[in-house]
Amino acid sequence: MIKNGIKRLWADGKPVLNGWLSIANSFSAEIMAAQGYDSVTIDMQHGIVGYDGAVPMLQAMRASGVTPMVRVPWLDPADIMKALDAGAYGVVCPMINTRAEAEQLVSYVRYPPHGVRSFGPSRALFSAGAGYAKEADDEMVCLAMIETAQAFDNLEDILATPGLDGVYIGPADLTLGLQGRKYAPGFDRREPEMIDAIKHILDRAHKAGKRAALHNGTADYAAEAVGWGFDLVTVSNDVRLLAGAAEASVKKFRELTGGDAAKSEAAAKGGY
């Protein structure tokens, strides 16, 4: 079986740079996968991606050798098992709030006797290579998202879950969960209490022998997070990168031709 590139980097003591796909398009997935990321995650929770769209995206990314993961919509065995059967090498699951939920997540990712995953890796048998049935349990990455006050309070219990590889921090929801509407949701938190909360999760994860991942809006913040000790950092996503590059191009053109730069900026704020 082809080995999981994420786990190999971790074994060598290196951080993982993760890309993020929200657009359901195999060509854009192929382009993103070829840019040098260590792993790329398809977002089936908030992204505009369904299962029929995710499969060709996984196929398109294969040639790059990047390690593919999927953020599933929810803690649902059908979604998790189908993502793995389609060839994902890891699952990021949102809104894990208790150890019981973390245990369910692990069980859906692992085959018996370590879990309840049903055997039928239709595409993975081809994309991952021979030996899948024997080796898949050791190669899959299982990450629980910590993004609510309940999860924060139950952090040590969640981290004690056998078979859980680590936790993935969603800063936008974590800020809402811990601070309510005091701050606008978003990435790259600078509020002292939120930095403390993020570092608390990182510290507890490492003390429990687990990995810690963080979603970031910029490369600068992601590099800072690696300095703190994060094992995996995601930088932006295809939507924001496309919008940002297009906005910069239009703005530059307006500046060079004396056009209405304010109009370009106003239009750019219309999307996320």
Side-chain angles (χ1 to χ4, degrees), residues 9-271:
L9 286 169
W10 285 345
D12 291 338
K14 297 177 181 179
V16 173
L17 174 61
N18 182 57
W20 200 261
L21 302 176
S22 297
I23 300 171
N25 185 277
S26 60
F27 184 36
S28 59
E30 184 179 30
I31 293 169
M32 285 282 286
Q35 300 313 307
Y37 294 101
D38 301 311
S39 61
V40 174
T41 300
I42 299 172
D43 184 5
M44 296 180 69
Q45 183 194 15
H46 291 303
I48 317 302
V49 187
Y51 182 75
D52 288 345
V55 173
M57 293 168 72
L58 289 166
Q59 292 173 315
M61 289 193 287
R62 187 184 183 195
S64 69
V66 73
T67 301
M69 295 200 294
V70 169
R71 176 163 74 170
V72 294
W74 208 249
L75 179 60
D76 182 281
D79 289 330
I80 291 168
M81 294 184 199
K82 284 178 72 67
L84 295 174
D85 290 346
Y89 264 71
V91 169
V92 180
C93 186
M95 297 291 181
I96 297 298
N97 294 316
T98 65
R99 172 161 176 169
E101 291 176 351
E103 289 174 345
Q104 289 178 43
L105 170 60
V106 170
S107 76
Y108 302 153
V109 172
R110 316 292 182 197
Y111 289 119
H114 305 297
V116 298
R117 182 183 172 190
S118 174
F119 189 77
S122 301
R123 177 175 177 267
L125 283 175
F126 300 96
S127 61
Y132 190 88
K134 182 179 180 180
E135 302 173 46
D137 274 7
D138 293 329
E139 295 301 328
M140 298 301 107
V141 170
C142 182
L143 299 175
M145 292 198 72
I146 302 298
E147 46 190 348
T148 68
Q150 184 183 9
F152 191 81
D153 291 341
N154 292 327
L155 179 62
E156 293 189 9
D157 284 342
I158 292 171
L159 288 166
T161 305
L164 184 71
D165 292 294
V167 291
Y168 189 112
I169 300 174
D173 277 317
L174 184 65
T175 301
L176 285 171
L178 297 182
Q179 302 296 330
R181 296 300 181 91
K182 182 179 179 181
Y183 304 119
F187 309 135
D188 298 2
R189 309 310 309 189
R190 288 298 178 189
E191 304 85 6
E193 59 267 50
M194 288 311 302
I195 292 177
D196 287 346
I198 289 168
K199 289 184 175 180
H200 172 79
I201 296 170
L202 169 67
D203 177 67
R204 291 298 183 271
H206 284 176
K207 285 183 177 177
K210 307 292 188 184
R211 302 292 179 171
L214 180 66
H215 206 100
N216 307 269
T218 63
D220 289 343
Y221 195 95
E224 187 175 354
V226 167
W228 296 340
F230 274 94
D231 304 288
L232 181 148
V233 288
T234 298
V235 179
S236 194
N237 66 12
D238 51 359
V239 172
R240 291 175 182 268
L241 291 169
L242 174 61
E247 178 189 1
S249 178
V250 171
K251 183 178 180 180
K252 184 66 175 179
F253 175 82
R254 300 296 188 200
E255 291 172 350
L256 293 173
T257 61
D260 189 353
K263 178 180 179 181
S264 300
E265 292 175 359
K269 294 178 181 177

